[in-house]
Amino acid sequence: MESMANNVNITPLHDRVIVKPAAAEEKTAGGIIIPDTAKEKPQRGIVVAAGPGKKDEPMTVKSGDTVLYGKYAGTEISLEGADYLIMRESDILAVV
C-alpha cells in the first residue's frame, strides 16, 4: 500500500473525491506478461482527498480508504506528475 505522504494540493468540491488508481496488472495468474495495449483499467484505488459532502449528505469515504469504482468512472487528471481520478462519491461502489 502506498503512503499518504504524496498529499495533493487540491481540494475537491461537494461530493467529489480524488482517487489514486492502483497499478494495472503486469502478469496474469499463470505468469503471462500483459502488454500495455491489453491491460484493463484498474477498478481499485486509494482516496487521497475528499470533499466536504453535500448540505444534506455527508461524505462516507475519507482519505486513505481503499475503494472499488466502476470501470469508466471519473475523469482522469494529472497532478504533479502523477495520475489521479476525480469522481463523485456515488461512482464509488464499495470500500474494502
Side-chain angles (χ1 to χ4, degrees):
M1 196 178 282
E2 295 180 50
S3 72
M4 289 289 106
N6 61 349
N7 290 336
V8 292
N9 293 326
I10 188 170
T11 304
L13 298 175
H14 306 295
D15 64 338
R16 289 185 170 79
V17 295
I18 297 176
V19 176
K20 173 79 175 153
E25 292 295 321
E26 300 286 327
K27 292 183 180 182
T28 64
I32 298 171
I33 296 174
I34 303 170
D36 286 341
T37 55
K39 288 181 185 170
E40 287 194 29
K41 292 175 77 172
Q43 293 176 264
R44 174 187 289 238
I46 299 174
V47 175
V48 293
K54 290 184 178 179
K55 186 179 189 179
D56 55 346
E57 294 178 30
M59 295 294 279
T60 56
V61 297
K62 61 189 180 308
S63 185
D65 285 351
T66 300
V67 294
L68 300 176
Y69 49 86
K71 192 172 214 168
Y72 301 105
T75 301
E76 295 177 359
I77 58 172
S78 184
L79 298 170
E80 301 167 3
D83 293 327
Y84 298 94
L85 288 171
I86 188 165
M87 65 183 71
R88 290 187 180 275
E89 185 185 33
S90 62
D91 292 336
I92 294 173
L93 306 174
V95 177
V96 279

